[in-house]
Amino acid sequence: MNTLSIFNPQFSSDLFDLFDESVHATYPTARTNRIPPVDIIETKDNFLLEMELCGLSENDIDLNVKDRVLTIGTKKAEKNANPAEKPAEENIQGGNPEEKKYLLRERKVISFTRKFTLPQNVDVENVSAKFINGLLTVQVPKKPESELKRIQINVA
């Protein structure tokens, strides 16, 4: 069975919510600059999801599982989360953001949500994740396969 069809990925972002999902299935390159790419790997004991999240930290990522749906996304920015912190733009040499003028701006601040429907044979209680050098790796362990149990048929 194809791993991608097992996981049934779903996409969502502030930009792509405007479009029908079938358009994205037809034109997958349309979302490549907004939705981080994912590799899904199957081993004997686990499924592994590897997602590139360059420019983000583990504190920026929201990861959860509910009803066998694994959701990976960016955390919602809290208004006035820490008023003592200056915005990142003020920390850049040049001071005030109003004083800056971009000559070229190719990097975008991303906001995304991806959902993966997990197969029946996974242990959702033991899903784990690690984040190293911009690569999020989510380990989804498989449940051990059940053995065939012979049932005695009694004659009455």
Side-chain angles (χ1 to χ4, degrees), residues 16-42:
F16 293 114
D17 286 345
L18 302 174
F19 301 102
D20 185 277
E21 198 62 45
S22 62
V23 172
H24 298 302
T26 307
Y27 303 103
T29 56
R31 65 173 168 253
T32 57
N33 63 347
R34 296 288 295 174
I35 304 296
V38 172
D39 292 335
I40 300 175
I41 303 157
E42 182 176 6

